[in-house]
Amino acid sequence: MLAKITDEIQIRVGHCHTHARTMTAVGLRNRRGGGVNSHTITETAYEFTGGRRGRYGRRGVAGGASSGETNACCGFLVGLVFFAASTALLWWNEGEAVAVYTSLKEARDAVVALPEGARASSGNKGSLVHVVGATSGDTLADPDFGVVYPDAVKLTRKSETYQWVERTHKRRIREDEHRTRVETSYTYDTRWREGSIRSSNFRYPHGHANPGPSPFDSRTYVAREVGVGDGFTLTPTLVDELDRAHNVRLLPMGASERDRNGWEPRDPRQIAGRGGDGDVGCPADRHRRKGIIDDDDDDDDEDEDEDRFALESRLPEMPVAIRAPLPDGWTIRGGVVYSGSDSAATTSPLVGDRRVAFSAVPGKQTVSVLAKQGKNGSLRPWTSPSGRRVAIVRHGRQSPNEMIASAERANAWKTWGLRALGFIVMIIASALIVSPVREIVSYLRWIPLVGGFAAGVVNLGVSMAAATATVVCACGVIGTSWLAHRPALAYTLFAVSAGSYAWAWASGSRRREAERAADAYERRSTNGAGDGGGDSPGGDSPHEGRDGGPEPDYTPPHLD
């Protein structure tokens, strides 16, 4: 049954003029069943800025700068650092993109495509080769739990402990023109996590004590020699690219061959976590946080996305019988080894429970490799003429052009992602750099009637100027980097841009001249038509005669 305990404790931390602090403790007990706890403690601090007067005084500290002025100065310095970092990032990113693109283009021209099943030949030594074949590994074993897996490329042992996890979330809420509320939430939840989390580093360690390190840590066993095709071997750098694994479902020692064959491979989406009743990973863990409104739940969504994408590359699980007795206190439940309470393998484990699961990258998987052929058929990264290293490993059968095109797309996505990151960092830097100006402008609010409006207008202008400067600086850095790393393309684009501008300017000039001529002709036509129907005997002026000549300026005398 869901029980919610809400305690609000208002604690005044001293009589500081610049901020006051309160603390709200919210505990949710048994959200996902017995034994599962979650606690959230929120600290609230108030900051007073912008020349605060009244009971708090004009300045936070007598004779010193106010909190707002201090923050503005610090923000200005941090902004300078961020601006320099974003400039360096944008510059480096363009150079890196050009280097990778050039090396991939050189690889496309230099690759030697070998037919599938071709044997390693000394004639291709030192060349960039494209190999398609099945992998082969060694018999890998874990001596602690007696797990033996034949023909494996990797055997991974994942050791987890059920322990407290601290997550921090901070948000700032501006309540008025002088006061800002800063809320810092510390959420404590129990999760399965690798390694040991030191609860002494928690903000509130009391009641959230974690056990010590597990006697069996996580580790990965790798085959000494991983073969591909006929006579080719992969170096450790390329072996790391092989990540299509399946879960290993452990069976008790002495299980007969018939017992092993009785287990049918299951889709990895059904075994996503290793919990009770034979399920891998406690699917109920995915639903424990339902009904809880908290900004920090976004972390759970990210974990679920990572798990989902990781499972898409996994193979069905494989049963393996252990060949040695388990350590004392450890038992097999649902294909995973557990230690601790009797509820460790259920949906309600206790803090201090431990589990160990295995996964393996088996042999006999078809892969495509683009790498340099070295001594004795070893495949290693190839160094392009431009000095970059190229080595690509893909699962399945792919042609050299497909592999290189995929690498180029990945390079393009990376380039645009870093451009966006550099632009965002530069925007933050610009906002921090103009923070002293905003602090000075905040004093305009003390002008009666129009102070707030004037401050808002000035701040809007400052923000627009900062945004404009950011766009100009970012484009300038990228353009200057292109001049250094892509001179031919940069000058070509500059020539095209200059020619387009000149053509547009010339076209506009001719159009404006034509419009002026048309307007002049229309005015003359209008004046001629008006004079022809008036008292004047024809001509463009009332002073012109019938023959087009000027009439004499003569006024007859008045006769009485």
Side-chain angles (χ1 to χ4, degrees), residues 204-473:
Y204 296 95
H206 180 69
H208 309 117
N210 280 332
S214 174
F216 304 102
D217 57 351
S218 299
R219 62 180 57 183
T220 299
Y221 306 93
V222 183
R224 290 177 297 179
E225 184 177 278
V226 178
V228 174
D230 190 359
F232 295 96
T233 58
L234 299 179
T235 55
T237 303
L238 300 183
V239 172
D240 293 338
E241 300 296 326
L242 300 176
D243 55 0
R244 181 168 293 181
H246 62 208
N247 293 310
V248 176
R249 186 178 182 87
L250 300 182
L251 302 179
M253 185 177 60
S256 63
E257 190 68 26
R258 183 177 63 83
D259 295 333
R260 288 182 225 167
N261 293 336
W263 295 96
E264 296 182 359
R266 296 186 295 167
D267 188 271
R269 294 171 181 81
Q270 300 175 0
I271 54 176
R274 299 284 184 196
D277 301 330
D279 289 336
V280 184
C282 200
D285 290 354
R286 306 297 179 86
H287 307 286
R288 284 195 294 182
R289 306 189 67 80
K290 285 187 176 180
I292 305 301
I293 300 176
D294 190 349
D295 294 340
D296 292 335
D297 288 345
D298 295 341
D299 300 337
D300 302 336
D301 297 336
E302 295 176 0
D303 294 341
E304 291 179 6
D305 292 339
E306 293 177 0
D307 294 341
R308 183 174 68 254
F309 292 126
L311 289 172
E312 288 179 355
S313 62
R314 284 186 175 272
L315 303 173
E317 68 173 350
M318 183 64 63
V320 173
I322 62 174
R323 300 189 181 181
L326 294 174
D328 294 338
W330 293 81
T331 58
I332 297 178
R333 300 174 187 174
V336 183
V337 186
Y338 287 89
S339 173
S341 64
D342 295 337
S343 61
T346 66
T347 58
S348 301
L350 301 179
V351 174
D353 291 343
R354 307 182 191 275
R355 69 182 181 188
V356 175
F358 288 86
S359 62
V361 177
K364 297 183 175 60
Q365 297 189 62
T366 301
V367 296
S368 302
V369 183
L370 189 69
K372 171 185 174 182
Q373 179 180 330
K375 184 178 180 181
N376 298 326
S378 63
L379 299 177
R380 61 186 68 249
W382 174 73
T383 303
S384 65
S386 58
R388 308 290 296 188
R389 303 179 68 185
V390 177
I392 307 175
V393 179
R394 296 287 185 269
H395 288 279
R397 294 176 175 85
Q398 293 188 14
S399 65
N401 289 332
E402 291 175 340
M403 299 177 69
I404 294 176
S406 176
E408 288 176 343
R409 289 193 297 269
N411 181 50
W413 279 105
K414 173 187 173 184
T415 301
W416 281 105
L418 291 179
R419 283 174 182 167
L421 177 61
F423 186 75
I424 292 173
V425 174
M426 188 168 287
I427 289 177
I428 297 174
S430 300
L432 292 174
I433 289 175
V434 299
S435 56
V437 179
R438 294 179 180 275
E439 180 64 21
I440 295 174
V441 171
S442 65
Y443 287 93
L444 294 176
R445 300 181 184 275
W446 294 106
I447 301 177
L449 300 179
V450 298
F453 176 76
V457 172
V458 174
N459 282 330
L460 179 61
V462 171
S463 300
M464 295 179 63
T468 304
T470 299
V471 174
V472 172
C473 292

Side-chain angles (χ1 to χ4, degrees), residues 36-340:
V36 178
N37 297 322
S38 178
H39 308 282
T40 300
I41 300 176
T42 302
E43 294 180 352
T44 303
Y46 293 89
E47 296 179 354
F48 301 100
T49 59
R52 177 74 175 183
R53 293 180 181 270
R55 57 175 294 188
Y56 297 101
R58 179 172 180 176
R59 301 185 181 274
V61 181
S66 67
S67 174
E69 295 171 356
T70 302
N71 292 338
C73 294
C74 294
F76 177 78
L77 297 178
V78 174
L80 293 179
V81 175
F82 277 25
F83 190 87
S86 62
T87 302
L89 175 62
L90 292 174
W91 181 279
W92 172 86
N93 181 47
E94 298 302 322
E96 181 71 9
V98 172
V100 174
Y101 174 80
T102 303
S103 62
L104 292 176
K105 183 179 180 181
E106 294 169 347
R108 180 181 280 109
D109 298 334
V111 63
V112 177
L114 302 179
E116 185 174 352
R119 185 175 180 82
S121 173
S122 58
N124 295 324
K125 182 179 178 181
S127 302
L128 177 66
V129 297
H130 172 259
V131 179
V132 178
T135 59
S136 60
D138 294 333
T139 299
L140 302 179
D142 181 81
D144 297 324
F145 294 91
V147 178
V148 179
Y149 198 103
D151 192 15
V153 176
K154 300 177 187 177
L155 178 64
T156 302
R157 184 177 76 186
K158 184 177 181 180
S159 176
E160 296 178 301
T161 303
Y162 200 71
Q163 52 192 319
W164 287 102
V165 178
E166 180 188 66
R167 291 176 293 117
T168 304
H169 176 73
K170 178 181 290 188
R171 64 173 182 168
R172 303 173 65 89
I173 304 173
R174 191 172 186 110
E175 296 184 342
D176 54 36
E177 58 194 45
H178 300 296
R179 185 173 65 174
T180 301
R181 186 172 79 249
V182 182
E183 294 183 352
T184 305
S185 300
Y186 301 91
T187 301
Y188 299 91
D189 199 1
T190 47
R191 304 277 186 95
W192 287 105
R193 286 291 185 266
E194 291 188 72
S196 177
I197 301 177
R198 296 175 61 90
S199 55
S200 58
N201 296 331
F202 290 167
R203 174 69 172 175
Y204 296 95
H206 180 69
H208 309 117
N210 280 332
S214 174
F216 304 102
D217 57 351
S218 299
R219 62 180 57 183
T220 299
Y221 306 93
V222 183
R224 290 177 297 179
E225 184 177 278
V226 178
V228 174
D230 190 359
F232 295 96
T233 58
L234 299 179
T235 55
T237 303
L238 300 183
V239 172
D240 293 338
E241 300 296 326
L242 300 176
D243 55 0
R244 181 168 293 181
H246 62 208
N247 293 310
V248 176
R249 186 178 182 87
L250 300 182
L251 302 179
M253 185 177 60
S256 63
E257 190 68 26
R258 183 177 63 83
D259 295 333
R260 288 182 225 167
N261 293 336
W263 295 96
E264 296 182 359
R266 296 186 295 167
D267 188 271
R269 294 171 181 81
Q270 300 175 0
I271 54 176
R274 299 284 184 196
D277 301 330
D279 289 336
V280 184
C282 200
D285 290 354
R286 306 297 179 86
H287 307 286
R288 284 195 294 182
R289 306 189 67 80
K290 285 187 176 180
I292 305 301
I293 300 176
D294 190 349
D295 294 340
D296 292 335
D297 288 345
D298 295 341
D299 300 337
D300 302 336
D301 297 336
E302 295 176 0
D303 294 341
E304 291 179 6
D305 292 339
E306 293 177 0
D307 294 341
R308 183 174 68 254
F309 292 126
L311 289 172
E312 288 179 355
S313 62
R314 284 186 175 272
L315 303 173
E317 68 173 350
M318 183 64 63
V320 173
I322 62 174
R323 300 189 181 181
L326 294 174
D328 294 338
W330 293 81
T331 58
I332 297 178
R333 300 174 187 174
V336 183
V337 186
Y338 287 89
S339 173

Side-chain angles (χ1 to χ4, degrees), residues 472-522:
V472 172
C473 292
C475 295
V477 171
I478 293 176
T480 307
S481 179
W482 276 35
L483 291 176
H485 299 107
R486 306 181 182 183
L489 180 60
Y491 287 120
T492 301
L493 293 177
F494 177 77
V496 172
S497 300
S500 300
Y501 177 78
W503 177 82
W505 182 83
S507 300
S509 298
R510 289 193 297 269
R511 185 171 59 255
R512 287 190 295 271
E513 291 177 359
E515 291 176 353
R516 285 196 296 268
D519 292 342
Y521 177 78
E522 183 177 358

